[in-house]
Amino acid sequence: MPESTMQKIVSLAKRRGFIFQSSEIYGGLKACYDYGPLGVELKRNIKDAWWRDMVHRRDDVVGLDCSIIMHPDVWRASGHLAGFSDPLVDCRNCKERFRADKAPRAVPGSALVCREGGKRDGRKLAGTVGPAGYVCPVCGSGDLSPERQFNLMFRTSLGPVDPVQEILDALDSLVELEPSKRKERLAGIVDRTAVYLRPETAQGMFVNFLNVLNSARVKPPFGVAQCGKSYRNEITTSNLTFRTCEFEQMEMEFFVEPGTDEHWFDYWSRARFAWYQSLGMRAEKLRLRRHEKEELAHYAKACVDVEYFFPFENPEGEGEWGELEGIANRTDYDLRRHSERSRKDLSYFEAETRKRYVPYVIEPAAGADRAALAFLCDAYAEEMVEGEIRTVLRFHPRLAPIKVGVLPLVRKDGLPEKAGEIMRELMAAGINAFYDESGAVGRRYRRLDEAGTPWCVTTDAETNANGSVTVRERDSMRQTRVPMTGLAEHFRRLLGGG
Amino acid sequence: MPESTMQKIVSLAKRRGFIFQSSEIYGGLKACYDYGPLGVELKRNIKDAWWRDMVHRRDDVVGLDCSIIMHPDVWRASGHLAGFSDPLVDCRNCKERFRADKAPRAVPGSALVCREGGKRDGRKLAGTVGPAGYVCPVCGSGDLSPERQFNLMFRTSLGPVDPVQEILDALDSLVELEPSKRKERLAGIVDRTAVYLRPETAQGMFVNFLNVLNSARVKPPFGVAQCGKSYRNEITTSNLTFRTCEFEQMEMEFFVEPGTDEHWFDYWSRARFAWYQSLGMRAEKLRLRRHEKEELAHYAKACVDVEYFFPFENPEGEGEWGELEGIANRTDYDLRRHSERSRKDLSYFEAETRKRYVPYVIEPAAGADRAALAFLCDAYAEEMVEGEIRTVLRFHPRLAPIKVGVLPLVRKDGLPEKAGEIMRELMAAGINAFYDESGAVGRRYRRLDEAGTPWCVTTDAETNANGSVTVRERDSMRQTRVPMTGLAEHFRRLLGGG
């Protein structure tokens, strides 16, 4: 069977150092990934482009960087502690633990049919479909435990207390309790020092609303942007870095006067859709999808997703729309909740009009890992060149991990020394360059194509003769001669200055 | 009592949006901090300068970005699971929990003297100092629990399992065990799904050694650099962001041939010491301190710290040397440990000489938060200007959060419009600029001094007449006239291009 596009991308990602499985020498860790030397540059470039376009190039957005561990009251107020959970069920037949809301549906009360692969451990399926109306996704059994709510936040413990030791110390008194009281008491011991890894960066902007207002001389409409890791203990992870338990968000909360929220919702939907194209993503692979009413989070008035058509494999073939970013009208829900719980007034007083209001919030929330994966997939191309398949990553130059490859045509005649001079000039200018002198120059070009390097500079006999070099462009493979002096300025101009 | 320098810095940090206490509206969270609009820019600039100088400006270092949650075997191999702990003791008199190794020393067997403040809850101290030879740091009592090892790693749980539920399900069988077996069994339940937040980024480079070697075409001597959060459940936290449980590291592991390690250790010690000065830190506030033999970690052959003289308050007055960065010769310890545990060959084969060896590692490990705090303290200055105290942050332009303030002299005569044009030009060039039109221009200069902004551009009557603007320099307060066109290029040159 031929390799699918996604398999090729996964294998390129590992081979060339974009994405490795985390802790691979220990067998890996479920849905955790590391960015290799090329991947870290790609992701940095995406995050930098986001920060530049969302913060530095605007006078109405400021930045913020909050700690990942926050006070548990933040999650009580936001509703994440009570409500951010999946319903989990255990199969008593095959011991699988699965999400009830993702399980295969069946008519309650109907007799179970033993399907192919429908047994495990030699046990036979029997009985009828339970009242919940679904069966085990692995073995098809209807013999299931009750649903248990499983909170998606990662819990840990802050302070000089080891919960294991605390539970041990309380063990005898725990058992003396009635079984119905035990969980409460046990949870109480754990909760005393429990803190959570944030499931979204957004709450950091809400709880710092007053701090930003008082320190940054901003007034609505204004935004607060943050880039950082968030954590969700997802049961179902898939497709390389598309859905992982540890991921990086690029979120911005834009505070506006109620009544202007629909205008700003449209504004940001359009702006964020355009952003991906401004970095070279193909328009035909992008769409804006508006959420249906029943799909909306309870606090949201409206939401659209920017979706990319990923080359994921699925039963219907290759290709699947996946969310890159959601733009939500969160109304004044979050500020009001934190206002109530903290008893701090999180409203804004407009001096000119003497109006006081709790701002509405428009939130463009993007995933940095998903963006990196989408840009990687979008850049991937194969083409026939001189009877051979050329694999090339057509990154926008601003996103390309390596900007310039520097190659002496041969390893003699002073060409490596000239190439070394060029390397030093580019590196001093902060342009990420890569020196390569081993192998035929054609093979070196191919390797740099595969890394998505937009330009190669080659020193050759003419360099010695007249001080010119060959600059080869990745996509067209066109070669032009350029003076060796001023190469850093040349590439800086091509990269768009700054 | 007059405010100390540190109190002034803490208050400026909050007032101007450098550093806020985390979750402040909920009373804050012990030793967790958020970076406000100015702070996030300062810290980003420091991290960017580090990346540029350590990765992009070198051809022997590549980057990496690993997940914070790693496979628990990583910490078994590195020794962090067994050995990364503090000895904790409970005081039976006042209930304080404290670190045995930081407690006040006393002669074992000597009678306890009741000192001032040496009681709590009205109970009297009595008895003798125990065999361990220390007393409670709060109440002075010698009536102490045995020492318990407390691991500094944050533990959490990965996967669709709630440890509280698992313990509850196992409660009856736990109690039936002999007390001596209970802890083992309880720990077993927790360990089945336990993962840890990394206490250092370094192990990510070690476990990816082969991945980098195979994908990035590097050979020793070469380095792998990473910037990211780490976590240590520190008992003693202090001095704003100096010691916190969540912190950001900038670490580089430099792999070298054994025998050349001492050369590279000296090289990196000097290079890293010079780095802080290259960004404007005052030489007289910096020192290199070599660790004594008994201070070295068991795996380290040598270590020096780059220390900064912080204005921390202490019993002797103001000022205290604190570590900014440690440069360690970690030998081949880590690669060997991971080799043994993973059974993967983590050695390097040098093709030319046909030599095989496990590289030694020189590690410059810096703290991004400490660097930000040190640059903030170092930049802080007060001086008398025209009979008033001027507070100014003398940041190196590359580190300054805002590069240029843009001010119309008055709010009429088309001056705000001209200033707006300049803002747009600077923002388009990615230069972080701040527009301010409210209040007297002298007050606006002072506000921007306090934010550490190196330059202000003011539009005035002459701007309309001949297209020139005033550029005012922060430190000298000197004003010069400059043409309005080409300001972005002007400042980009001053910022050192790139």
Side-chain angles (χ1 to χ4, degrees):
Chain A
M1 214 173 93
E3 268 192 318
S4 71
T5 308
M6 201 56 210
Q7 284 169 332
K8 288 180 191 170
I9 290 171
V10 170
S11 124
L12 173 75
K14 177 178 157 70
R15 180 164 39 89
R16 296 310 310 268
F18 282 93
I19 300 170
F20 306 130
Q21 207 186 357
S22 167
S23 314
E24 196 187 343
I25 60 171
Y26 293 110
L29 188 63
K30 177 207 169 211
C32 284
Y33 293 92
D34 295 346
Y35 289 87
L38 293 185
V40 63
E41 299 292 342
L42 172 64
K43 197 173 156 190
R44 279 177 67 89
N45 291 339
I46 291 168
K47 290 190 289 176
D48 283 351
W50 187 85
W51 195 265
R52 185 165 155 165
D53 292 338
M54 296 294 275
V55 183
H56 288 177
R57 284 190 167 164
R58 303 188 63 99
D59 60 0
D60 56 357
V61 178
V62 296
L64 194 69
D65 183 14
C66 299
S67 64
I68 290 173
I69 295 178
M70 299 175 78
H71 195 291
D73 277 352
V74 174
W75 313 116
R76 290 192 182 95
S78 69
H80 283 90
L81 251 176
F84 192 58
S85 55
D86 284 341
L88 291 195
V89 173
D90 288 313
C91 172
R92 295 203 181 98
N93 182 54
C94 78
K95 310 300 174 202
E96 177 75 5
R97 180 163 291 175
F98 61 91
R99 274 178 65 172
D101 57 337
K102 302 272 184 188
R105 300 281 119 190
V107 178
S110 60
L112 278 168
V113 180
C114 218
R115 57 177 167 81
E116 205 183 343
K119 299 194 275 184
R120 207 153 124 177
D121 298 328
R123 294 190 229 174
K124 259 194 110 129
L125 301 179
T128 52
V129 177
Y134 54 81
V135 296
C136 172
V138 169
C139 74
S141 168
D143 187 14
L144 307 172
S145 78
E147 294 177 18
R148 275 175 182 174
Q149 287 302 317
F150 174 73
N151 196 293
L152 295 182
M153 285 199 293
F154 282 93
R155 184 177 56 220
T156 183
S157 180
L158 180 69
V161 171
D162 179 355
V164 168
Q165 186 64 47
E166 300 290 305
I167 294 168
L168 201 65
D169 293 347
L171 210 53
D172 290 313
S173 70
L174 262 167
V175 178
E176 277 168 22
L177 291 174
E178 280 182 59
S180 63
K181 299 271 181 199
R182 287 176 180 175
K183 181 160 193 177
E184 198 181 320
R185 175 72 184 284
L186 184 57
I189 294 171
V190 172
D191 284 349
R192 228 171 13 236
T193 56
V195 288
Y196 301 86
L197 306 186
R198 66 179 175 203
E200 59 177 26
T201 65
Q203 299 300 326
M205 280 75 112
F206 301 132
V207 300
N208 277 300
F209 176 72
L210 287 183
N211 276 334
V212 172
L213 213 53
N214 293 336
S215 65
R217 298 166 55 78
V218 286
K219 54 184 187 182
F222 77 95
V224 187
Q226 179 170 207
C227 193
K229 295 249 170 127
S230 292
Y231 291 81
R232 295 180 188 175
N233 208 342
E234 301 275 0
I235 314 310
T236 320
T237 53
S238 63
N239 286 319
L240 205 62
T241 51
F242 183 77
R243 191 182 305 282
T244 54
C245 293
E246 176 178 325
F247 57 102
E248 193 152 4
Q249 296 188 291
M250 307 185 290
E251 293 196 305
M252 196 269 282
E253 310 301 318
F254 201 72
F255 299 93
V256 306
E257 189 182 339
T260 67
D261 52 308
E262 294 186 8
H263 159 75
W264 284 109
F265 178 75
D266 290 341
Y267 170 89
W268 281 112
S269 301
R270 277 197 300 272
R272 295 304 306 153
F273 187 70
W275 186 76
Y276 293 91
Q277 292 177 60
S278 77
L279 292 168
M281 203 175 274
R282 289 169 291 172
E284 68 269 24
K285 298 280 182 185
L286 282 165
R287 74 175 184 192
L288 265 181
R289 191 181 66 79
R290 205 173 174 105
H291 284 213
E292 302 296 333
K293 256 231 147 69
E294 55 276 16
E295 208 182 338
L296 288 175
H298 63 280
Y299 53 76
K301 186 172 155 186
C303 188
V304 294
D305 285 347
V306 180
E307 294 188 334
Y308 179 76
F309 196 70
F310 286 92
F312 297 151
E313 294 162 72
N314 60 59
E316 282 86 47
E318 266 189 26
E320 204 173 299
W321 289 101
E323 179 193 344
L324 288 182
E325 172 158 359
I327 297 98
N329 183 341
R330 290 181 81 131
T331 72
D332 56 2
Y333 175 83
D334 301 276
L335 287 179
R336 284 204 185 277
R337 290 291 298 248
H338 287 297
S339 229
E340 282 159 24
R341 187 159 193 112
S342 70
R343 295 162 188 276
K344 299 278 188 297
D345 181 0
L346 305 185
S347 65
Y348 174 73
F349 180 70
E350 199 171 82
E352 297 90 343
T353 58
R354 308 198 62 74
K355 250 194 313 193
R356 179 173 289 284
Y357 58 83
V358 177
Y360 267 41
V361 173
I362 308 301
E363 172 193 84
D369 306 279
R370 285 192 180 180
L373 183 60
F375 280 113
L376 183 64
C377 291
D378 204 60
Y380 185 87
E382 292 175 12
E383 54 184 29
M384 287 301 288
V385 173
E386 294 161 13
E388 274 188 9
I389 292 178
R390 174 173 95 122
T391 301
V392 55
L393 293 178
R394 301 191 192 283
F395 289 126
H396 187 287
R398 212 162 130 186
L399 300 187
I402 301 167
K403 308 300 184 193
V404 184
V406 180
L407 326 169
L409 185 64
V410 289
R411 230 191 297 193
K412 56 181 185 184
D413 303 336
L415 298 186
E417 288 73 16
K418 293 277 181 198
E421 277 175 47
I422 295 168
M423 274 299 285
R424 280 189 293 280
E425 188 196 341
L426 295 178
M427 287 193 298
I431 295 172
N432 202 24
F434 182 79
Y435 179 81
D436 191 359
E437 58 170 32
S438 66
V441 75
R443 267 189 60 207
R444 283 181 268 161
Y445 283 147
R446 290 291 183 279
R447 282 202 295 258
L448 283 155
D449 288 342
E450 232 185 25
T453 308
W455 304 288
C456 288
V457 172
T458 306
T459 55
D460 51 25
E462 277 190 65
T463 310
N464 285 329
N466 62 17
S468 72
V469 293
T470 299
V471 172
R472 181 232 189 216
E473 202 270 328
R474 176 194 66 204
D475 297 341
S476 65
M477 294 183 283
R478 211 176 28 233
Q479 306 195 0
T480 49
R481 292 214 71 87
V482 166
M484 186 177 146
T485 52
L487 273 174
E489 189 49 37
H490 174 76
F491 289 117
R492 207 170 65 180
R493 253 198 321 273
L494 288 175
L495 285 165
Chain B
M1 214 173 94
E3 267 193 318
S4 71
T5 307
M6 201 56 209
Q7 283 169 334
K8 289 180 191 169
I9 291 172
V10 170
S11 126
L12 173 75
K14 177 177 157 67
R15 180 163 40 87
R16 296 309 311 268
F18 281 94
I19 300 171
F20 306 130
Q21 206 186 358
S22 168
S23 315
E24 195 187 344
I25 61 172
Y26 293 110
L29 187 64
K30 177 207 168 210
C32 283
Y33 293 93
D34 295 346
Y35 289 86
L38 293 184
V40 62
E41 299 292 342
L42 172 63
K43 197 173 155 188
R44 279 178 66 89
N45 291 339
I46 291 168
K47 290 190 289 176
D48 283 351
W50 187 84
W51 195 266
R52 185 166 154 163
D53 292 339
M54 295 295 275
V55 182
H56 288 176
R57 284 190 167 165
R58 304 188 62 100
D59 60 0
D60 56 356
V61 179
V62 296
L64 194 69
D65 183 14
C66 299
S67 64
I68 290 172
I69 296 177
M70 300 175 77
H71 196 291
D73 277 353
V74 174
W75 313 116
R76 290 193 180 96
S78 69
H80 284 89
L81 252 177
F84 192 59
S85 55
D86 283 342
L88 291 195
V89 174
D90 288 314
C91 172
R92 294 202 181 98
N93 181 53
C94 76
K95 307 304 173 200
E96 176 75 7
R97 181 163 291 174
F98 61 89
R99 274 178 65 171
D101 56 338
K102 303 273 183 185
R105 301 279 120 188
V107 178
S110 59
L112 276 169
V113 180
C114 217
R115 56 178 167 82
E116 207 183 342
K119 300 194 274 185
R120 211 154 122 174
D121 298 328
R123 294 190 228 176
K124 262 195 110 132
L125 301 180
T128 51
V129 176
Y134 54 83
V135 296
C136 171
V138 169
C139 74
S141 167
D143 187 12
L144 307 172
S145 77
E147 294 177 19
R148 275 177 183 172
Q149 286 301 317
F150 174 72
N151 196 293
L152 295 182
M153 284 199 293
F154 281 94
R155 183 178 57 220
T156 184
S157 179
L158 180 68
V161 171
D162 179 356
V164 168
Q165 188 62 49
E166 300 290 305
I167 293 168
L168 202 65
D169 293 348
L171 211 52
D172 290 312
S173 71
L174 262 167
V175 177
E176 276 167 22
L177 291 173
E178 279 183 59
S180 63
K181 299 272 181 197
R182 287 175 180 178
K183 181 160 192 177
E184 198 181 319
R185 176 72 184 283
L186 184 58
I189 294 171
V190 172
D191 284 350
R192 232 179 0 242
T193 57
V195 289
Y196 301 86
L197 306 186
R198 66 181 174 200
E200 60 176 27
T201 65
Q203 298 300 325
M205 280 76 113
F206 300 132
V207 298
N208 276 300
F209 176 72
L210 286 183
N211 277 333
V212 172
L213 213 53
N214 294 335
S215 66
R217 299 166 55 76
V218 285
K219 54 184 187 182
F222 77 96
V224 186
Q226 179 170 207
C227 192
K229 295 246 171 129
S230 292
Y231 292 81
R232 295 179 189 177
N233 209 343
E234 299 275 1
I235 314 310
T236 319
T237 53
S238 64
N239 287 320
L240 205 62
T241 50
F242 184 76
R243 190 183 306 282
T244 55
C245 293
E246 177 178 326
F247 57 102
E248 194 152 2
Q249 296 188 291
M250 308 185 289
E251 294 196 305
M252 196 270 281
E253 310 301 318
F254 201 72
F255 299 94
V256 306
E257 187 180 340
T260 67
D261 52 307
E262 294 186 8
H263 159 75
W264 285 110
F265 177 76
D266 290 341
Y267 170 89
W268 281 112
S269 301
R270 275 196 302 271
R272 294 306 306 155
F273 187 70
W275 186 77
Y276 293 91
Q277 292 178 61
S278 77
L279 292 168
M281 204 175 273
R282 288 169 290 173
E284 68 270 26
K285 298 279 181 185
L286 282 166
R287 74 174 184 193
L288 264 181
R289 191 182 65 79
R290 204 172 176 107
H291 284 212
E292 302 295 331
K293 257 237 145 64
E294 54 277 17
E295 208 183 337
L296 289 176
H298 63 280
Y299 52 77
K301 186 173 156 185
C303 187
V304 294
D305 285 348
V306 180
E307 294 188 333
Y308 178 76
F309 195 69
F310 286 93
F312 297 152
E313 294 163 73
N314 61 58
E316 283 87 45
E318 265 189 28
E320 204 174 298
W321 289 101
E323 179 192 346
L324 289 182
E325 172 159 357
I327 297 98
N329 182 343
R330 290 181 82 132
T331 72
D332 57 1
Y333 175 82
D334 301 275
L335 288 179
R336 282 202 186 280
R337 288 293 295 248
H338 287 297
S339 229
E340 281 159 24
R341 187 160 192 111
S342 70
R343 295 164 189 274
K344 300 276 188 299
D345 182 1
L346 304 184
S347 65
Y348 174 72
F349 180 72
E350 199 171 83
E352 296 90 344
T353 56
R354 310 197 60 76
K355 249 193 315 194
R356 179 173 288 282
Y357 59 83
V358 177
Y360 267 43
V361 172
I362 308 301
E363 172 194 83
D369 305 280
R370 285 191 180 180
L373 183 61
F375 280 113
L376 183 64
C377 292
D378 204 60
Y380 186 87
E382 292 175 13
E383 54 185 29
M384 287 302 286
V385 174
E386 294 159 14
E388 275 188 8
I389 292 177
R390 175 174 92 123
T391 302
V392 55
L393 294 178
R394 301 192 192 283
F395 288 126
H396 187 286
R398 212 162 129 185
L399 299 188
I402 301 168
K403 307 301 185 194
V404 184
V406 180
L407 325 170
L409 185 64
V410 290
R411 230 193 295 193
K412 55 181 184 185
D413 303 335
L415 298 186
E417 289 73 16
K418 293 277 181 201
E421 277 175 47
I422 295 168
M423 274 300 284
R424 280 189 294 281
E425 188 196 340
L426 295 178
M427 288 192 299
I431 294 173
N432 202 25
F434 182 79
Y435 179 81
D436 191 358
E437 59 172 31
S438 68
V441 74
R443 266 189 60 207
R444 284 181 268 161
Y445 283 148
R446 289 293 183 282
R447 283 202 294 258
L448 283 155
D449 287 343
E450 232 185 26
T453 308
W455 304 288
C456 288
V457 172
T458 306
T459 56
D460 51 27
E462 277 190 68
T463 311
N464 285 329
N466 62 16
S468 71
V469 293
T470 300
V471 172
R472 182 234 190 214
E473 202 269 329
R474 176 194 66 204
D475 296 342
S476 65
M477 294 183 283
R478 208 175 31 231
Q479 305 194 2
T480 49
R481 292 213 70 88
V482 166
M484 185 177 147
T485 52
L487 274 173
E489 189 51 37
H490 173 76
F491 289 117
R492 207 169 65 179
R493 251 200 322 274
L494 287 175
L495 286 164

